[in-house]
Amino acid sequence: MSEKLRDVETEEQLRACYPVMKQLRPHLETEDDFVARVTRMGQQGYRILAAWDEGEVVALAGYRLEENLVYGKFMYVDDLVAGEKTRGRGWGARLLEHLTVYAEQAACVKLVLDTGMANALAQRFYFRQGLLTGAMRFGKFLKAGAA
């Protein structure tokens, strides 16, 4: 098989990720917007690990290494999605396994991600992968660009 996991490093690879990311983040209206956002986020340490099969991105995880007073050094997984055509084939588990090893090598004490309260399928998947609930996150939307 020609499947493999690798970090996205070029704009061409990033553009190949857009169709899969769009399934998770439908508000990303254009490929150019996606590229611009990820490029900006990259300046803050955001990376994408993509699963490739036959030259096509079939799943991906967006992540970053962070540190705070709650956890210390940790890996935050912003995005985790398998493409609709390849769900159920173990891509999410492989991505999480790879990220776990990477986080351990980077001396992180925890791997953290968020999922929606109503997303029962994702919650069951995360429990099967050994992730446990540890907090409830609160937030509110703010007026963008308010002076």
Side-chain angles (χ1 to χ4, degrees):
M1 272 194 233
S2 66
E3 58 188 48
K4 59 179 133 180
L5 301 180
R6 68 175 183 258
D7 278 316
V8 171
E9 297 180 353
T10 69
E11 183 176 325
E12 180 182 347
Q13 292 171 340
L14 188 55
R15 288 184 182 280
C17 292
Y18 176 72
V20 174
M21 184 67 85
K22 175 95 170 141
Q23 293 174 35
L24 180 65
R25 310 286 183 221
H27 62 276
L28 297 172
E29 293 183 17
T30 68
E31 188 175 285
D32 288 338
D33 178 47
F34 168 67
V35 170
R37 286 183 190 215
V38 171
T39 300
R40 284 191 308 272
M41 291 165 56
Q43 296 169 1
Q44 301 165 5
Y46 178 85
R47 307 269 306 161
I48 293 178
L49 176 67
W52 299 79
D53 190 18
E54 302 294 331
E56 181 179 337
V57 174
V58 294
L60 60 83
Y63 67 95
R64 63 184 87 220
L65 298 177
E66 296 187 0
E67 185 171 1
N68 67 20
L69 297 176
V70 176
Y71 307 125
K73 191 170 182 185
F74 68 101
M75 175 180 282
Y76 184 77
V77 180
D78 294 69
D79 314 290
L80 181 64
V81 61
E84 288 178 358
K85 296 184 288 187
T86 60
R87 284 194 190 128
R89 296 187 188 167
W91 287 112
R94 281 180 262 185
L95 287 164
L96 278 177
E97 288 170 17
H98 187 88
L99 291 176
T100 297
V101 169
Y102 179 56
E104 289 171 342
Q105 291 171 345
C108 293
V109 297
K110 195 164 190 167
L111 183 143
V112 178
L113 59 78
D114 294 324
T115 192
M117 299 278 291
N119 194 344
L121 288 175
Q123 292 166 23
R124 284 197 299 268
F125 169 75
Y126 296 135
F127 283 128
R128 285 194 313 270
Q129 300 310 309
L131 282 79
L132 302 172
T133 56
M136 184 180 292
R137 175 170 283 180
F138 292 89
K140 67 178 178 179
F141 288 101
L142 305 174
K143 296 177 190 171

